Amino acid sequence: MTRRRRIYEGKAKVLFEGPEPGTLVQYFKDDATAFNNQKRGTITGKGVLNNRISEYLMTRLGEIGVPTHFVRRLNMREQLVREVEIIPIELVVRNVAAGSLTKRFGIPEGTPLPRSIVEYYYKSDELGDPMVSEEHITAFGWASPQDLDDMMALSLRINDYLTGLFLGIGLRLVDFKLEFGRLWENEEMRIVLADEISPDNCRLWDIKTNEKLDKDRFRQDLGQVEEAYQEVARRLGILPEGGPGDLKGPKVMQ
Ligand code: TMP
């Protein structure tokens, strides 16, 4: 394999220079972190599953007209994406109380929220991703009011669509985190969905049993972490060919 230039390394992914200008290769690692890097571990096969799950969800979202950075999957652990300027804001959409919301407001986990709630966090590992308001975002110039309107509208559409998609396979979409980027085409700028959508950044509970099938199994030491990610892929109908035994190491598929 030819050496590629590494553009950026995050906690769960690496971005390499893509084969043509304006593209990047997004490589999915098995590394897992929680609580802003305080807890670290490996979830065997996670990178392969998240690559596949994110491909599937971004493709479905593209079909309903949500612009995304996703171009195509390249192999077991890599996908080709458009190079975008990442907006340093994480949008969290919540439908059911869980995680930091339960701690902040003392609401029991599992309480349905009166309506979907969108929160903003400033993307900064050093600061531990602090929660911020629209005022902070626009005053500090992280995003314009128009960018925020676009991100909010897209997030609510994504929530509606994914809630239905997961309900169809017996999963409750409790909450999830999205990242967006700016994509320039000629003189025009568009806000597009970036990063990934996977059990790393969604909470997914079985509708009947409330069993957690997401990264909370790792965060809370619940065990059966690999199996939970596999179960999500299985229900989506996209468990990699050959089943779990096929989950290690990169393999060229096309
Ligand atoms: P929280 O309840 O810990 O604030 O998390 C809300 C959702 O956002 C949950 O689905 C996990 C996801 N998330 C990330 O993807 N990255 C993060 O850094 C954090 C804190 C949460």
Side-chain angles (χ1 to χ4, degrees), residues 58-78:
M58 293 250 181
T59 303
R60 295 288 85 78
L61 287 167
E63 286 166 359
I64 62 154
V66 172
T68 82
H69 74 157
F70 179 80
V71 180
R72 65 190 155 87
R73 187 163 58 91
L74 297 170
N75 56 51
M76 294 286 272
R77 283 182 186 271
E78 294 177 332

Side-chain angles (χ1 to χ4, degrees), residues 181-236:
R182 298 190 186 90
L183 181 65
W184 274 273
E185 277 162 327
N186 306 317
E187 296 298 288
E188 299 266 302
M189 189 276 284
R190 275 200 303 160
I191 300 287
V192 306
L193 180 64
D195 191 50
E196 68 176 289
I197 309 181
S198 73
D200 266 13
N201 47 33
C202 298
R203 285 196 173 94
L204 297 164
W205 297 354
D206 183 86
I207 285 285
K208 292 210 187 90
T209 64
N210 281 335
E211 186 188 3
K212 294 176 177 171
L213 294 171
D214 56 61
K215 202 166 105 179
D216 269 352
R217 299 205 73 84
F218 168 77
R219 293 190 190 97
Q220 301 171 4
D221 295 316
L222 299 176
Q224 307 264 305
V225 189
E226 287 86 356
E227 290 81 356
Y229 282 68
Q230 272 168 33
E231 176 63 11
V232 173
R234 191 190 66 75
R235 291 196 196 188
L236 288 169

Side-chain angles (χ1 to χ4, degrees), residues 91 93 95 116-118 150-163 176 178 180:
L91 275 88
V93 185
N95 300 308
S116 302
I117 294 175
V118 181
D150 292 354
M151 291 193 285
M152 174 67 92
L154 286 170
S155 297
L156 294 175
R157 270 182 77 199
I158 293 167
N159 184 43
D160 282 349
Y161 180 78
L162 292 184
T163 295
F176 58 99
L178 299 173
F180 294 90

Side-chain angles (χ1 to χ4, degrees), residues 121-169:
Y121 294 84
Y122 178 52
K123 204 172 141 61
S124 162
D125 284 345
E126 300 83 73
L127 300 174
D129 296 349
M131 193 177 184
V132 292
S133 71
E134 283 196 31
E135 284 287 290
H136 300 121
I137 297 171
T138 53
F140 295 129
W142 297 321
S144 69
Q146 182 64 54
D147 295 340
L148 270 180
D149 273 4
D150 292 354
M151 291 193 285
M152 174 67 92
L154 286 170
S155 297
L156 294 175
R157 270 182 77 199
I158 293 167
N159 184 43
D160 282 349
Y161 180 78
L162 292 184
T163 295
L165 184 147
F166 282 119
L167 202 56
I169 55 169

